[in-house]
Amino acid sequence: MKSSTQTSRLLQGAFILSAAAIISKLIGTLQKIPLQNLGGDAVFGIYNTVYPLYTMLLTVAMLGLPAAISKFVAEASAGRRDEEGRRILLLSALITGISGLIIGAITYAGAPIIAEWVGNSHVMPALRTSAWGLAVVPVMSAIRGYFQGLHNMVPTAVSQIVEQSVRVTVMIVLLLYLTSQGAGAESIAAGALLGSAGGGAAGLVIMLLYLRRHRRRVKQEAAAEVAAAVESQRVRALDAGHGLGSKQGFMGIKAGALLAYGIPVMLGALAMPLIGLVDVFTVPRLLSSDGSEVAAMAQFGVYNRGLPLVQIITMIATSLSVVFIPALAEAKYKGDMKLIETRCSLSLRWFWLLGLAASAGLAVLAEPINMALYGDTAGSSTMTWLAFTAVGGTVSIISAALLQGLGYVRAPALHLLAAALLKAALNLLLVPQQGITGAAIAGVAAHSFAAALNVLLLYRQGHLRLRLADALARPALLTAGLALAAAAASWGTGAAATAAGIGGGRTASLAQSLLGVLAGCVIFAVGAVVLRLLSESELRQLPGIGPSLADKFKKLRLFP
């Protein structure tokens, strides 16, 4: 009964955390649209140059300790060693706080040097304002790790949403103020980056409030236990048996253990944004070689227009992929190779279809989406190419999760490193010839390469079956139907808007985009069933709407 309750609590916590992560990431992704609308492409370019650097430095500053805290606190909680858990939090907060302050100070002082590495001096003010976020966010993340170790995901979920909401609010307020004052692109971008510090401070306040309430509850529970416990000798024996000993011994042993666990986690996390960082250090420099730095940043901003949409797709894949890690680990522990093969094949097939559908839809609707979101069609051809990074990125994410669940922890990171090297080489080759479109083509190749390496490893280890009909022929037919439906709906809506005298504007483009997406989704759902890419049992396994959709499709006799 206890095991069942604990499992239910873990599943509930995972759902809460996943939902909060999706909401907060959605807020963080969509905020880039008003950023470009208010600040322009040059501000957008500077922001998208500095923010990946900020997230990389933040990952380093945290030293992987949130994950380590979660692990060690969970172990201490299971052994009813609550004081040990609190000491782990204190030590970790101290380490991450000092680390954040040091890296923040280095970033602030070294901004001119980093700007020189990037190849654009206009990023320097934004680098300096981003440094303030490094001073507060690592401590906030340490406290989040503590509560996750206690299997209490609510504080993390609430703080994530508050952090992103405040960050976006601060950013927009400063954007409106600075643009009204006629500030330059570099000052406006610096103001936008200051939102990270504002959001981090708000998130830290939320976590401290939860921590204070938690400590009050723990003290009340401890007082009740002491009052009820007559055998004080048993209590002393329990304390003596769990041997942290003196505080000095705890500081000496646990600091090393925390860092030994956290630093490999940090190194693995650094592999994820490598491909984006390659763009930061190569594309602005290559673009500015033939013109001004401001023009190069404007072009880099146009290049990044499609990224928020692609990131929404990969964000969904990331949120869903965490489900497969424990499921496969359990199947491997039981030695059930058939179950491993089934889960790998099914999950890869569906994420492959999701990525293909999203890429095709975004590619076909690139021009109206560009006009609807950003007010003009600059870079629409680049956005078309960039759309296809969604399929490689999606398959790369899910295949990496499958590999991790099967115990291949290092391989996905090494594959991403190889993909980043390919991206750098292709950028150097293609950007001087084709500009930002060349960078987009290089991105498609790099993400596809990482995905292919992961899938090949799964196949070679015998965990995956590949059938061309399932992997290529029928998905290609489904994607073609989806693309035709989306294009036809968009064209028909545009023609109707033009006939009504309202064509060519953002409103008409928004209608084209929405109706095109709707048409594509309908064809995807129906086509997946008709082409036998989705069975009734698989559809019923989808949470929420799955059973009702299955019933409707069955009434239409779409299932065999």
Side-chain angles (χ1 to χ4, degrees):
M1 184 71 179
K2 182 179 178 181
S3 176
S4 176
T5 302
Q6 186 178 14
T7 301
S8 176
R9 187 180 178 187
L10 286 172
L11 290 173
Q12 183 182 21
F15 173 78
I16 292 172
L17 200 57
S18 297
I22 290 173
I23 294 170
S24 61
K25 287 179 181 178
L26 194 61
I27 294 171
T29 299
L30 293 180
Q31 56 92 20
K32 292 183 178 180
I33 295 169
L35 172 63
Q36 187 276 342
N37 286 190
L38 294 171
D41 287 322
V43 171
F44 198 51
I46 295 171
Y47 182 91
N48 282 290
T49 300
V50 175
Y51 194 74
L53 290 171
Y54 165 74
T55 55
M56 179 194 72
L57 293 169
L58 188 60
T59 301
V60 174
M62 290 189 297
L63 297 170
L65 288 185
I69 298 164
S70 178
K71 175 184 182 296
F72 285 105
V73 168
E75 292 174 353
S77 178
R80 300 184 63 82
R81 304 189 302 274
D82 296 333
E83 182 61 28
E84 179 181 345
R86 289 190 288 274
R87 289 180 178 176
I88 290 171
L89 171 62
L90 178 63
L91 176 60
S92 302
L94 181 64
I95 294 173
T96 54
I98 293 173
S99 173
L101 287 171
I102 291 173
I103 293 177
I106 291 173
T107 302
Y108 190 93
I113 298 174
I114 300 174
E116 187 176 345
W117 292 345
V118 172
N120 197 296
S121 61
H122 294 278
V123 303
M124 188 169 61
L127 280 167
R128 284 182 165 161
T129 55
S130 71
W132 294 101
L134 296 169
V136 292
V137 174
V139 177
M140 175 190 66
S141 299
I143 303 175
R144 285 177 177 174
Y146 174 73
F147 279 104
Q148 290 169 24
L150 298 175
H151 306 304
N152 183 0
M153 307 302 175
V154 173
T156 297
V158 173
S159 69
Q160 281 180 338
I161 295 173
V162 170
E163 178 192 4
Q164 288 288 14
S165 300
V166 172
R167 183 169 77 88
V168 173
T169 301
V170 171
M171 183 197 77
I172 292 177
V173 168
L174 289 174
L175 275 173
L176 291 170
Y177 173 75
L178 291 170
T179 51
S180 69
Q181 296 297 310
E186 57 186 33
S187 299
I188 296 173
L193 263 299
L194 197 58
S196 298
L204 178 59
V205 169
I206 294 296
M207 294 308 303
L208 290 173
L209 290 174
Y210 271 107
L211 184 62
R212 185 175 69 173
R213 189 169 71 175
H214 169 72
R215 285 180 173 175
R216 285 178 179 174
R217 185 169 64 250
V218 168
K219 286 181 180 179
Q220 291 172 355
E221 291 173 354
E225 287 180 5
V226 169
V230 180
E231 299 109 357
S232 59
Q233 184 178 0
R234 181 186 61 82
V235 175
R236 286 196 300 270
L238 182 63
D239 287 340
H242 290 296
L244 287 180
S246 66
K247 187 175 181 179
Q248 182 179 0
F250 166 76
M251 295 290 281
I253 297 173
K254 287 297 180 182
L258 284 167
L259 291 172
Y261 185 90
I263 289 177
V265 173
M266 176 200 74
L267 295 175
L270 286 175
M272 290 301 295
L274 273 179
I275 295 176
L277 286 172
V278 168
D279 280 338
V280 168
F281 286 105
T282 58
V283 176
R285 182 183 293 275
L286 292 169
L287 292 174
S288 62
S289 62
D290 295 329
S292 70
E293 291 184 347
V294 175
M297 275 298 145
Q299 276 294 294
F300 194 58
V302 172
Y303 168 71
N304 279 278
R305 287 185 178 190
L307 285 182
L309 302 172
V310 172
Q311 286 170 352
I312 290 174
I313 300 162
T314 55
M315 173 196 72
I316 294 171
T318 301
S319 300
L320 294 175
S321 67
V322 297
V323 176
F324 295 95
I325 296 176
L328 282 178
E330 180 184 359
K332 185 179 181 182
Y333 177 77
K334 293 178 179 178
D336 192 339
M337 298 304 296
K338 184 66 176 177
L339 181 60
I340 291 174
E341 183 182 297
T342 300
R343 285 178 173 171
C344 285
S345 300
L346 183 63
S347 57
L348 264 178
R349 177 158 58 90
W350 271 102
F351 277 79
W352 164 244
L353 285 173
L354 173 66
L356 271 179
S359 294
L362 180 55
V364 168
L365 300 172
E367 187 167 320
I369 288 175
N370 200 8
M371 182 67 187
L373 296 181
Y374 301 110
D376 59 50
T377 58
S380 293
S381 60
T382 300
M383 188 183 288
T384 299
W385 276 105
L386 204 61
F388 288 99
T389 61
V391 61
T394 301
V395 174
S396 176
I397 288 167
I398 183 58
S399 57
L402 296 174
L403 287 169
Q404 290 166 5
L406 293 169
Y408 304 101
V409 179
R410 296 181 182 177
L414 293 175
H415 295 165
L416 280 172
L417 177 60
L421 293 174
L422 176 64
K423 177 73 161 97
L426 291 176
N427 274 359
L428 294 173
L429 177 66
L430 298 176
V431 173
Q433 299 176 4
Q434 302 183 41
I436 56 176
T437 300
I441 295 171
V444 175
H447 285 286
S448 300
F449 184 56
L453 290 176
N454 287 345
V455 172
L456 182 61
L457 180 58
L458 284 169
Y459 179 75
R460 290 180 62 184
Q461 295 300 322
H463 302 310
L464 182 67
R465 287 181 303 161
L466 292 176
R467 292 190 301 178
L468 291 180
D470 289 337
L472 295 177
R474 286 184 286 175
L477 185 60
L478 176 62
T479 304
L482 177 153
L484 286 172
S490 176
W491 180 85
T493 305
T498 301
I502 57 172
R506 297 184 74 168
T507 303
S509 296
L510 180 61
Q512 287 181 256
S513 303
L514 293 176
L515 290 175
V517 169
L518 180 60
C521 288
V522 170
I523 294 301
F524 178 80
V526 175
V529 175
V530 172
L531 293 171
R532 305 293 185 261
L533 290 169
L534 175 66
S535 66
E536 181 181 354
S537 61
E538 290 171 351
L539 183 58
R540 290 189 182 278
Q541 292 175 23
L542 292 176
I545 62 172
S548 60
L549 280 177
D551 290 337
K552 290 178 181 178
F553 283 1
K554 194 170 184 178
K555 288 180 181 179
L556 295 172
R557 299 182 180 180
L558 293 175
F559 289 120

